[in-house]
Amino acid sequence: NLALIVIDASVPITDQDEKIAGLVDKFALGTIIVLNKWDESIKSYKQIVEEIRGKFKFLYYAPIVVVSAKTGRSIDKLQEKLLTIYENFNRRIATSKINDIINKAIMRHSLPSPAGNTLRIYFSTQFKSTPPTFALVMNKPKMLHFSYKRYLINFLFS
């Protein structure tokens, strides 16, 4: 259920890296992007992270860990991050807590009103873990814009 996308930091991102990342996203796996050979990298951390986030926009949620297998740098951080991702990937959240979080999100940034229609979320629940999957029960679900869905997801996991 977990995937490590290991990218060689000493060379540019390849098509193969992008294809593998696409498969990881397609199968909804818990993901960590690992930059290996950091000791041989010619770019700064900021430059590489910007490049990765630009090419792998669909993996916006995946943490990036910089390691060097040769020197053993940050391998312990990678192990810690793996455990955290695994715990989050298998986490169950009570319906009452999810509803509280969604209500706080709506209070902070109200639901859109496309074409004058009033959208209402009646309740939300987690119906599956691995990966965590949530359902919003609402009056007009097709009218909820994907950007607001992403806002709710980010608010839920922040």
Side-chain angles (χ1 to χ4, degrees):
N1 294 332
L2 300 178
L4 298 177
I5 300 174
V6 182
I7 297 174
D8 186 340
S10 65
V11 297
I13 295 172
T14 65
D15 290 339
Q16 186 77 6
D17 294 330
E18 292 183 50
K19 288 177 185 175
I20 291 170
L23 289 172
V24 167
D25 183 55
K26 178 182 176 183
F27 291 106
L29 303 174
T31 309
I32 300 174
I33 299 171
V34 180
L35 293 175
N36 190 25
K37 296 187 180 179
W38 187 248
D39 50 336
E40 298 176 19
S41 176
I42 56 173
K43 294 182 183 176
S44 72
Y45 177 77
K46 185 178 178 182
Q47 288 173 320
I48 291 180
V49 168
E50 284 177 8
E51 183 181 350
I52 288 172
R53 293 297 182 206
K55 294 212 181 226
F56 304 137
K57 289 180 182 170
F58 50 90
L59 293 177
Y60 63 91
Y61 55 86
I64 298 173
V65 178
V66 175
V67 300
S68 173
K70 183 178 178 181
T71 64
R73 176 184 181 206
S74 299
I75 298 299
D76 54 336
K77 289 181 184 177
L78 179 59
Q79 291 172 335
E80 291 172 17
K81 192 60 80 173
L82 266 170
L83 292 173
T84 302
I85 297 294
Y86 181 77
E87 289 169 4
N88 287 339
F89 199 69
N90 292 296
R91 181 185 296 174
R92 294 287 301 171
I93 303 172
T95 297
S96 60
K97 187 170 182 176
I98 295 169
N99 284 319
D100 289 344
I101 293 169
I102 295 296
N103 287 334
K104 285 179 189 175
I106 292 170
M107 296 279 274
R108 180 179 280 178
H109 183 57
S110 62
L111 279 162
S113 301
N117 292 308
T118 303
L119 295 179
R120 287 198 174 86
I121 297 175
Y122 300 120
F123 75 96
S124 49
T125 187
Q126 180 178 2
F127 65 91
K128 182 181 160 194
S129 62
T130 48
T133 308
F134 300 88
L136 299 176
V137 178
M138 55 189 303
N139 61 343
K140 299 174 184 175
K142 291 184 180 181
M143 298 193 86
L144 187 64
H145 196 267
F146 78 90
S147 62
Y148 197 83
K149 288 178 192 176
R150 182 165 289 160
Y151 161 72
L152 290 174
I153 290 167
N154 290 335
F155 196 90
L156 186 63
F157 291 105
S158 63

